Amino acid sequence: MTTDAPAPSDLAFVPFVSVQNMMRLVQSIGVESFIEGIAAYLEEDFRNWEAFDKTPRVASHSAEGVIELMPTSNGEVYGFKYVNGHPKNTREGLQTVTAFGLLAQVDTGYPVLLSEMTMLTALRTAATSALVAKNLMPKGSHTMAVIGNGAQSEFQCLAMKKLCGIRRVKLYDIDPAATAKAAKNLEGQGLEVVSCTTAQDAIEGAQILTTCTADKQCATILSDNMVGAGVHINAIGGDCPGKTELHVDILKRSDIFVEYPPQTRIEGEIQALPDDYPVEEVWEVIAGRKQGRTSESQITLFDGVGFAIEDFSALRFVRDRIKGTPFMEQLDMLADPDDPRDLFGMLQRSSGE
Amino acid sequence: MTTDAPAPSDLAFVPFVSVQNMMRLVQSIGVESFIEGIAAYLEEDFRNWEAFDKTPRVASHSAEGVIELMPTSNGEVYGFKYVNGHPKNTREGLQTVTAFGLLAQVDTGYPVLLSEMTMLTALRTAATSALVAKNLMPKGSHTMAVIGNGAQSEFQCLAMKKLCGIRRVKLYDIDPAATAKAAKNLEGQGLEVVSCTTAQDAIEGAQILTTCTADKQCATILSDNMVGAGVHINAIGGDCPGKTELHVDILKRSDIFVEYPPQTRIEGEIQALPDDYPVEEVWEVIAGRKQGRTSESQITLFDGVGFAIEDFSALRFVRDRIKGTPFMEQLDMLADPDDPRDLFGMLQRSSGE
């Protein structure tokens, strides 16, 4: 760089959290505390739900998958997530879902954080599930069944331990190798881990039933006769049209709680129900406006699909927690000429480099 | 990093072009050749217009400005641009518009390029204007008037020189300092530069009239009696609701060409006309499906607001031209576990760092 081309000012730099730095940040805080921290931000944003710009995902569909943008704003901060969903990727050694996200100041439009969100989405999904379960599960819940032991399963277990007091997890996957992987990863995490060979075994004695399977076309992971009274179902797999996990009769026996009805009716379990089927919005329960569980025998169902505000909360948490840490880089992403009208001059003056 | 945490594979990295690297890339190619290169990609994508997913911008409005996402896809490649518009930013020493963009592979959803787009947007806007002018201007055009001498003006001049054979530019701005800046920047660029003190002076003898003013609320930069027959008007300033530059009587005397009518009717000059006022789409002219200029006395008007496909073309050009150059960094933006189902294990194994 010549003396004619001064270094960009601080305004031109956007803090970037890479995958490596996200993992370092999570490790420095601890996985459970990190999830608990996101949950606190989630709770704050759910209470402030009505102040947010809400819109269904902006999706670009193709034969192989979907690429989506999920924007939202609370009037002060704007955020969006880029996320893809390509079920066939796994067969090619790629992630089904990759994601990154951004926060910007509404008053200037300047980005203030760019972050990986593959890891962060897993953490925020677990935080959301646990925050919702805390508000809906039967009192004194101690055991959770986890049907589907893929990338999301361990995060769910630790979140439910930290926020809901779960002490025992019962794992089941159609692929025993997935169960073995999850059981091994959960060693030494302070949970009693039971590996099961059928879904029915896993559900036995559990108060929280988590389904987090992927790559299924309207598969029925739970059938009606498997689910007794007095449980909370946390159904977070199957997050696009044509993907469901629960038999429709379970839905009809449950009180259903969702994030944002216009999106969930397209993507969630309730796509199997009529468009006007009554559902509750979880933010109203968390904000204390609506009652959650009303009896011990009730079946509550969180039909979670993941909503933009949850990513927003997670990004806000990361933005606040990376301050003063070395877990970020500064990206020279915004042109910052001395005179905003002189972009061309800025380019010309860079020519000596 | 411990030996337990292998470095991410190539798939996890996204090439990133910073502002500094974009300037280096432009300098290494030359501004005019860079614009000509974008124009060639634009022409290819305009000819392929019908294959693109097209949607108006996804906008988040606030009292101070707007933040927009502009996504598009041709079925093989997906792209979007993040862009803000905050007219009051200039008064705080910030850019009115900052932008960055991304390309991804449709078949995997994996991002393949992240790039600054403040500089690149100026270059693609100039390339678009010149490509359109080449198709619509009177034969033998040699002189362009430039009303508004801000950040876009010099790029317009060089683009029109390279693609349209313009030899003389006549500059006018309500602020003489802006004209002086543009005139100085254009020294030694092979153009005859005439600084004017009125818009009327600037227009005298010009075959192309470019208006690129900003921060105006329905200002009338050109009034009806100023514009004679046989010119091409390149109206690219004023790109949001409530911002226009031309008197409506000029519109009525012109044949109007736009990028994407649903967006231009909201943002462009034609917002002053009825919703069903007839306009032509420039891609049809460029693809040879419609005639452009039909007589020497005709007034053609390009009501340019900037469309997602133009950003897509510019990003494609950058992606192809950075290959083999040092003008990029590799961002560790995508989690890439050895086993896609083992995100948690990847996090655990990073703990020794």
Side-chain angles (χ1 to χ4, degrees):
Chain A
M1 200 181 291
T2 68
T3 50
D4 285 330
S9 79
D10 287 352
L11 293 168
F13 287 109
V14 179
F16 167 63
V17 180
S18 68
V19 176
Q20 287 289 354
N21 275 329
M22 182 64 75
M23 295 195 295
R24 291 177 181 126
L25 181 66
V26 174
Q27 293 293 352
S28 76
I29 294 172
V31 180
E32 290 180 34
S33 295
F34 196 96
I35 289 171
E36 188 181 38
I38 294 176
Y41 277 62
L42 272 171
E43 190 159 358
E44 183 182 341
D45 289 335
F46 276 18
R47 288 176 186 276
N48 192 33
W49 190 264
E50 289 163 303
F52 279 85
D53 268 354
K54 289 173 284 290
T55 173
R57 304 160 195 257
V58 182
S60 178
H61 295 278
S62 65
E64 299 93 351
V66 63
I67 296 175
E68 298 173 325
L69 299 172
M70 300 167 70
T72 192
S73 164
N74 68 0
E76 289 179 14
V77 180
Y78 169 93
F80 80 86
K81 178 164 84 168
Y82 169 102
V83 59
N84 74 298
H86 286 70
K88 60 91 196 167
N89 271 6
T90 310
R91 295 192 293 276
E92 300 165 18
L94 300 173
Q95 288 280 108
T96 300
V97 173
T98 66
F100 70 90
L102 178 119
L103 288 182
Q105 283 296 122
V106 167
D107 62 349
T108 63
Y110 271 52
V112 294
L113 176 70
L114 179 72
S115 176
E116 83 82 33
M117 284 197 79
T118 310
M119 194 62 79
L120 189 60
T121 296
L123 293 155
R124 75 87 161 129
T125 301
T128 304
S129 280
L131 176 65
V132 172
K134 195 172 89 170
N135 283 273
L136 293 177
M137 68 185 188
K139 214 170 141 181
S141 293
H142 50 74
T143 299
M144 173 166 75
V146 184
I147 316 294
N149 302 151
Q152 177 59 212
S153 57
E154 300 95 335
F155 297 100
Q156 288 284 330
C157 293
L158 295 187
M160 294 290 187
K161 175 192 164 207
K162 182 73 172 181
L163 275 80
C164 303
I166 288 298
R167 297 189 300 272
R168 190 162 69 132
V169 293
K170 301 182 72 180
L171 309 180
Y172 170 71
D173 196 289
I174 195 168
D175 178 2
T179 303
K181 173 226 53 161
K184 182 166 182 301
N185 282 339
L186 289 170
E187 276 174 15
Q189 300 283 352
L191 281 165
E192 181 189 342
V193 179
V194 183
S195 298
C196 303
T197 52
T198 68
Q200 185 64 62
D201 278 353
I203 287 166
E204 185 81 29
Q207 297 83 37
I208 299 179
L209 316 184
T210 289
T211 58
C212 46
T213 62
D215 200 6
K216 297 287 185 302
Q217 297 299 317
C218 288
T220 299
I221 310 301
L222 294 185
S223 57
D224 190 34
N225 61 359
M226 292 165 69
V227 177
V231 297
H232 173 65
I233 304 175
N234 173 44
I236 57 162
D239 56 358
C240 67
K243 283 178 66 187
T244 58
E245 298 183 305
L246 307 181
H247 192 282
V248 68
D249 287 344
I250 299 177
L251 304 183
K252 290 179 181 164
R253 288 165 57 209
S254 306
D255 290 299
I256 302 173
F257 298 80
V258 305
E259 291 139 316
Y260 181 58
Q263 182 176 310
T264 312
R265 290 192 192 278
I266 297 169
E267 302 173 7
E269 299 298 323
I270 59 171
Q271 63 187 277
L273 295 173
D275 282 349
D276 58 352
Y277 195 89
V279 297
E280 299 289 343
E281 299 185 44
V282 288
W283 74 268
E284 292 194 287
V285 177
I286 288 163
R289 298 206 187 178
K290 289 271 178 74
Q291 220 173 343
R293 173 168 293 272
T294 50
S295 83
E296 288 307 302
S297 64
Q298 186 183 14
I299 303 175
T300 53
L301 165 63
F302 174 47
D303 186 3
V305 297
F307 188 58
I309 293 175
E310 296 153 27
D311 302 310
F312 181 91
S313 306
L315 287 168
R316 280 208 306 122
F317 175 73
V318 169
R319 186 193 174 188
D320 289 350
R321 294 305 294 263
I322 56 167
K323 282 177 188 158
T325 78
F327 306 130
M328 62 174 136
E329 299 155 58
Q330 297 288 352
L331 289 193
D332 163 29
M333 198 159 87
L334 308 176
D336 180 40
D338 298 331
D339 171 359
R341 292 183 307 191
D342 198 13
L343 203 60
F344 187 83
M346 180 185 175
L347 174 62
Q348 277 186 313
R349 286 187 292 275
S350 75
S351 65
E353 296 170 76
Chain B
M1 200 182 291
T2 69
T3 50
D4 286 328
S9 79
D10 287 351
L11 295 168
F13 288 106
V14 179
F16 167 63
V17 181
S18 68
V19 176
Q20 286 289 352
N21 275 330
M22 182 62 76
M23 294 195 294
R24 290 177 183 126
L25 180 66
V26 175
Q27 293 293 351
S28 76
I29 294 171
V31 179
E32 290 179 35
S33 295
F34 196 96
I35 289 172
E36 188 180 37
I38 294 176
Y41 277 62
L42 271 172
E43 190 159 357
E44 184 183 342
D45 289 334
F46 276 18
R47 287 176 186 276
N48 192 32
W49 189 263
E50 288 163 303
F52 279 85
D53 268 354
K54 288 172 286 288
T55 172
R57 305 159 193 255
V58 182
S60 177
H61 293 278
S62 65
E64 298 92 351
V66 62
I67 296 175
E68 299 173 325
L69 299 172
M70 299 167 70
T72 193
S73 164
N74 67 0
E76 290 178 14
V77 181
Y78 169 93
F80 80 85
K81 177 164 84 167
Y82 168 101
V83 59
N84 75 297
H86 287 70
K88 59 94 194 165
N89 271 7
T90 309
R91 295 191 293 275
E92 301 164 17
L94 301 173
Q95 288 279 106
T96 299
V97 174
T98 67
F100 70 91
L102 179 120
L103 287 182
Q105 283 296 121
V106 166
D107 63 348
T108 62
Y110 271 51
V112 293
L113 176 69
L114 178 71
S115 176
E116 85 82 32
M117 285 197 79
T118 310
M119 193 63 77
L120 189 59
T121 297
L123 292 155
R124 75 86 163 128
T125 300
T128 304
S129 280
L131 177 65
V132 172
K134 195 172 88 169
N135 282 274
L136 293 177
M137 69 186 188
K139 211 169 143 183
S141 293
H142 50 73
T143 298
M144 173 166 74
V146 184
I147 315 294
N149 302 152
Q152 175 60 213
S153 57
E154 300 95 334
F155 297 100
Q156 288 284 331
C157 292
L158 294 188
M160 295 290 187
K161 175 193 165 206
K162 183 72 172 181
L163 275 81
C164 303
I166 288 297
R167 298 188 301 272
R168 190 163 68 132
V169 293
K170 301 182 73 181
L171 310 179
Y172 170 72
D173 197 289
I174 195 169
D175 178 2
T179 303
K181 173 227 51 161
K184 184 166 181 303
N185 282 339
L186 289 169
E187 276 173 17
Q189 300 282 353
L191 281 166
E192 180 189 343
V193 179
V194 183
S195 298
C196 303
T197 51
T198 69
Q200 185 63 62
D201 278 353
I203 288 167
E204 184 81 29
Q207 297 84 39
I208 298 178
L209 316 184
T210 289
T211 59
C212 47
T213 62
D215 201 5
K216 296 290 187 298
Q217 297 299 317
C218 289
T220 299
I221 310 300
L222 293 185
S223 58
D224 190 35
N225 61 359
M226 291 164 71
V227 177
V231 297
H232 173 65
I233 305 175
N234 173 44
I236 58 162
D239 56 358
C240 65
K243 282 177 66 185
T244 57
E245 297 182 306
L246 307 181
H247 193 281
V248 68
D249 287 345
I250 299 176
L251 305 182
K252 290 179 181 166
R253 288 165 57 207
S254 305
D255 290 300
I256 303 173
F257 299 80
V258 306
E259 291 138 316
Y260 181 58
Q263 182 176 311
T264 312
R265 290 193 192 277
I266 296 168
E267 302 173 8
E269 298 298 322
I270 58 172
Q271 64 187 278
L273 294 173
D275 282 350
D276 58 352
Y277 195 91
V279 297
E280 299 290 341
E281 299 185 44
V282 288
W283 74 267
E284 293 194 286
V285 176
I286 289 163
R289 298 205 188 181
K290 288 273 177 75
Q291 218 172 345
R293 173 168 293 271
T294 51
S295 83
E296 288 306 303
S297 63
Q298 186 183 14
I299 302 175
T300 52
L301 166 63
F302 174 46
D303 186 3
V305 298
F307 188 58
I309 293 174
E310 295 152 27
D311 301 311
F312 180 92
S313 307
L315 287 168
R316 281 208 305 121
F317 175 73
V318 168
R319 185 192 175 189
D320 289 350
R321 294 305 293 264
I322 58 167
K323 281 176 190 157
T325 77
F327 307 131
M328 62 175 137
E329 300 155 57
Q330 297 288 353
L331 289 194
D332 163 28
M333 197 158 87
L334 308 176
D336 180 40
D338 298 333
D339 172 359
R341 293 182 308 189
D342 198 12
L343 204 59
F344 187 82
M346 179 183 174
L347 175 61
Q348 277 188 313
R349 287 187 291 276
S350 75
S351 65
E353 294 171 76

